[in-house]
Amino acid sequence: MADAEMDLVDNAFVDPPGPDGTGQVAAAARTLTRSYDRNQILVICAEAGAGRRTAALRALRHAGVPKEQILWLVLDWDQPRAEQIPHTEKHGFVLDLTGYRTLTEDFYTGLADYQKDAESDSAFLIVLAEPSTWTPGTLTAAPVVSLTRPPAQQVAAAHLRHLAASREHWLDSAPLDDLLAPAAPAADAARLARLIARAKENGRAAVKEEFTDWRDHLENWFESYSREEDLRERALLLAAALLEQVPAQVVLAAADRLFTEVGGRLPPGGALAGRDLDKRLATIHARPVDDESISLEAEQHGLPAAVLKYVWQQRPQLRPVLLEWASQISAPNGIAVRHLRRIADCLVQLSLLPGGTTVRSVASALIENGRTAHRQLAVEILETMALHPVTGVAVRKQLYDWAHQKSTSQELIRAVGDICAGQLGQKYPRVALTRLRLLAARGDEVSVQAASDAVGALAAASDRRIMVMSEIIGWAESTDTDIRMAGARTFLALAEAGDVLLPPPDERESPGSLPTTLLGQLFVRGWRAVLQETALAESAHTRLASLLDSSQLSDEVVLPLAAALLVGSSTSSGVGRSRRRQLLDQLILEHVESPSGPAPAPAAGNQPPPLPG
């Protein structure tokens, strides 16, 4: 959790009073700390906007959970399953089930087992749900707090008392006194308090403008610049909003591109035509910053996002044009290709608005239709949406479905691999690996390659290598045929691609020794699992032979692997080790009796060392 958020939870929380006059959350949280009949689970039921997230964090802090040990769970399932909820010792978890219409009986009854596990580990779970969703009947005894929405004015005042106490009276004076309706969402109240706290001393009017997304300002501006000759300035405003703090040359070129997209004709004379830059920037209320970058934010905080939101809502017929334009300028060799992340972030914000599903649909179509020039932006959009707290659940499920469905195109398969290898895999590696396992299980060359490339990218980071390797070996040793083959294929593809799976130099064993590090043991287990798959055995033997024959790999890399596979390890049975020794003796005998002639006897004092085991 962010430090600023937890600071407000600890110091500015408004707890709506319950029937007995005490705070609802405080009363419910006492069930987590009492010495008798203590609960490890608390359910907070309320409609969106009632402050459920803040209430959950407050309850965990009341239970004594340190803020660094409070974790927000990332959902990665079709239906919630209690057995998959973690109960790490002395940690607190928040599970947000908003969006689920119903919950299964197994989930409710499974909470009884979770209560026992969590109690033994001193862990806590806060479940957030809508009242229509949480209908357990007698299936669970988890206590429920039916949270009422706190008055918005009280929330804003409490936040201001903590953030900027001297400005609390701003809430009661014009032009801010009528911004918050009593039933406004708690998040709106918190946002207004933040805007007041950071405003300039004479900035009350600017606070109102930003809180209302600059609606009055934008209505007046678009009304004032509604003539045909104003279209270039409108295009410049949109380009500046999309490319906040981007060099002027790029913004101007992007604006001209949008102008031509809507049928405008640039005047003859190119860069010599038209008004000077300063006058054009003054028209759109922007100014140059950082040498020659253009900023709307510097003059009017929050204006870039407000411009895009206003146009998206007021001109729905322009939405496909905006998305096509953004794709063109961010394509390889496009004028704004270096600002891909900024563009993707802006489009994701548009996806949260009414009609926002268009953004995801267009991104998917750009990939599936093989539009290579626009693919990079499309992948970036889906990746950003997969990590967003609002769109994340739906997009991660879409990635799961694409990886699982037999009808998924090769272009989308590669995109799933790229997204899992990127920020999604870096932030939530297990979520990414679940989808990569489904890709690998498909069995076709494109899917296996996409999965192995992504797994290799994740395993390249030393802090994730053991976790990724453990996951892959777990697949390869599974009792499920499809999962086992997915693991074996992925391991073999990585082995054929290079030394991604080899232990790093500082973890490699001495020549002839058996692997003792966890990574070395996983490496050996992987090869054993692959060699047991009949369909892959020939390829595996070929790759192993190339490893042993490679002059580019040192003895420190190859010999421990050969010894572990051939001779066994300390965990091998007596029968297994005996058979391996017999095999080794047989191989030596065959070499001595080969047509190339008998091997020379070793010189005195130069006898080979005894074999391990």
Side-chain angles (χ1 to χ4, degrees):
M1 300 299 149
D3 288 342
E5 181 180 20
M6 293 305 304
D7 182 50
L8 290 171
V9 168
D10 288 340
N11 298 290
F13 180 70
V14 175
D15 195 351
D20 61 353
T22 60
Q24 293 180 341
V25 176
R30 282 195 286 272
T31 67
L32 304 176
T33 56
R34 61 193 180 196
S35 57
Y36 63 94
D37 193 24
R38 187 174 68 185
N39 289 285
Q40 309 301 126
I41 305 171
L42 176 63
V43 181
I44 298 178
C45 272
E47 301 293 345
R52 292 174 301 184
R53 177 186 175 98
T54 307
L57 299 177
R58 178 72 172 191
L60 290 174
R61 294 293 286 139
H62 180 89
V65 181
K67 60 183 180 180
E68 62 274 8
Q69 292 176 201
I70 297 177
L71 300 175
W72 201 269
L73 296 177
V74 177
L75 307 188
D76 191 31
W77 47 32
D78 294 323
Q79 279 293 333
R81 292 179 288 277
E83 64 270 17
Q84 291 188 329
I85 304 174
H87 43 81
T88 309
E89 186 176 4
K90 296 182 179 179
H91 279 62
F93 299 93
V94 183
L95 175 63
D96 189 351
L97 298 180
T98 303
Y100 287 94
R101 294 183 179 179
T102 59
L103 300 170
T104 64
E105 289 188 7
D106 288 344
F107 176 77
Y108 289 125
T109 56
L111 290 177
D113 291 332
Y114 182 86
Q115 164 72 24
K116 296 175 184 177
D117 293 335
E119 187 173 8
S120 64
D121 291 330
S122 298
F124 297 99
L125 172 68
I126 310 295
V127 178
L128 307 184
E130 295 180 336
S132 59
T133 300
W134 192 261
T135 55
T138 59
L139 296 175
T140 180
V144 178
V145 52
S146 297
L147 189 67
T148 58
R149 180 174 296 185
Q153 198 78 6
Q154 289 185 23
V155 174
H159 281 220
L160 270 177
R161 279 195 295 273
H162 180 63
L163 297 174
S166 63
R167 293 185 176 182
E168 186 179 346
H169 67 282
W170 282 28
L171 294 169
D172 302 318
S173 57
L176 307 180
D177 53 343
D178 61 349
L179 290 182
L180 289 175
D188 285 354
R191 177 170 174 255
L192 179 58
R194 288 196 304 272
L195 295 179
I196 292 174
R198 73 184 183 203
K200 296 178 181 178
E201 192 55 44
N202 59 348
R204 299 188 195 193
V207 168
K208 178 180 179 180
E209 288 283 12
E210 185 173 357
F211 183 77
T212 58
D213 289 322
W214 295 95
R215 187 174 183 85
D216 291 344
H217 166 80
L218 291 172
E219 283 182 350
N220 293 331
W221 191 92
F222 275 91
E223 181 66 27
S224 299
Y225 294 91
S226 58
R227 298 168 300 176
E228 183 177 345
E229 56 266 33
D230 296 326
L231 287 180
R232 286 192 75 190
E233 306 315 308
R234 288 188 171 195
L236 179 59
L237 177 65
L238 280 168
L242 184 70
L243 300 170
E244 168 69 19
Q245 292 199 15
V246 169
Q249 182 178 358
V250 176
V251 177
L252 292 171
D256 285 347
R257 183 63 177 264
L258 177 59
F259 179 63
T260 58
E261 282 292 314
V262 295
R265 290 188 178 183
L266 294 172
L272 285 176
R275 300 188 302 158
D276 291 343
L277 177 62
D278 286 348
K279 292 183 173 57
R280 297 190 70 190
L281 294 185
T283 298
I284 65 171
H285 299 277
R287 65 180 174 88
V289 295
D290 299 333
D291 293 331
E292 288 195 334
S293 296
I294 290 177
S295 175
L296 292 172
E297 187 85 11
E299 287 291 324
Q300 295 167 311
H301 194 274
L303 185 58
V307 167
L308 296 174
K309 179 179 179 179
Y310 181 85
V311 172
W312 182 268
Q313 293 178 325
Q314 296 299 318
R315 299 179 181 273
Q317 73 276 24
L318 193 61
R319 293 170 188 172
V321 178
L322 289 176
L323 296 175
E324 176 67 22
W325 166 62
S327 299
Q328 290 174 352
I329 64 176
S330 60
N333 299 319
I335 52 181
V337 66
R338 294 184 179 181
H339 309 286
L340 186 64
R341 168 56 61 182
R342 163 69 191 179
I343 294 172
D345 287 343
C346 288
L347 296 184
V348 170
Q349 291 304 311
L350 294 180
S351 75
L352 306 178
L353 302 174
T357 54
T358 305
V359 176
R360 193 170 91 187
S361 299
V362 168
S364 303
L366 290 176
I367 295 170
E368 195 159 20
N369 295 337
R371 298 183 63 175
T372 307
H374 304 327
R375 182 181 186 279
Q376 189 175 1
L377 176 64
V379 169
E380 193 86 11
I381 290 172
L382 291 176
E383 180 179 68
T384 305
M385 292 180 75
L387 294 170
H388 195 277
V390 176
T391 60
V393 172
V395 175
R396 290 194 295 271
K397 185 179 186 305
Q398 181 68 79
L399 295 174
Y400 184 98
D401 291 342
W402 282 338
H404 183 65
Q405 293 166 353
K406 297 299 183 184
S407 59
T408 304
S409 67
Q410 293 184 353
E411 288 77 15
L412 284 175
I413 286 171
R414 293 189 182 97
V416 172
D418 291 344
I419 293 169
C420 289
Q423 292 191 47
L424 178 63
Q426 294 168 21
K427 189 169 184 179
Y428 304 121
R430 295 195 183 278
V431 171
L433 286 168
T434 299
R435 285 139 187 80
L436 296 176
R437 173 176 58 77
L438 293 173
L439 284 186
R442 299 170 69 93
D444 62 278
E445 183 178 350
V446 171
S447 300
V448 173
Q449 190 64 52
S452 60
D453 288 347
V455 171
L458 296 179
S462 58
D463 59 336
R464 286 194 302 269
R465 185 175 291 119
I466 288 179
M467 187 276 292
V468 173
M469 277 283 288
S470 298
E471 192 81 10
I472 302 307
I473 303 310
W475 303 349
E477 295 175 342
S478 172
T479 57
D480 183 285
T481 303
D482 291 338
I483 296 177
R484 188 171 66 248
M485 280 299 294
R489 287 193 191 107
T490 304
F491 184 92
L492 186 56
L494 287 170
E496 290 176 343
D499 63 352
V500 174
L501 296 182
L502 292 175
D506 59 342
E507 294 184 17
R508 289 170 184 169
E509 315 291 337
S510 60
S513 67
L514 297 178
T516 56
T517 64
L518 177 57
L519 193 58
Q521 293 167 2
L522 290 170
F523 191 49
V524 171
R525 283 170 55 193
W527 276 112
R528 285 179 175 154
V530 173
L531 288 169
Q532 291 175 9
E533 296 297 334
T534 305
L536 303 176
E538 183 176 350
S539 297
H541 281 294
T542 301
R543 177 56 185 159
L544 266 177
S546 67
L547 281 176
L548 293 172
D549 292 338
S550 175
S551 59
Q552 297 180 352
L553 296 177
S554 65
D555 289 350
E556 287 81 356
V557 174
V558 176
L559 290 181
L561 170 64
L565 289 171
L566 184 63
V567 182
S569 67
S570 59
T571 60
S572 301
S573 67
V575 173
R577 299 181 72 185
S578 174
R579 287 172 176 169
R580 289 180 173 88
R581 181 179 292 279
Q582 292 179 48
L583 173 60
L584 184 59
D585 291 341
Q586 183 177 337
L587 292 173
I588 293 173
L589 181 61
E590 289 176 358
H591 177 71
V592 170
E593 296 176 350
S594 68
S596 61
N606 192 29
Q607 297 293 329
L611 293 171

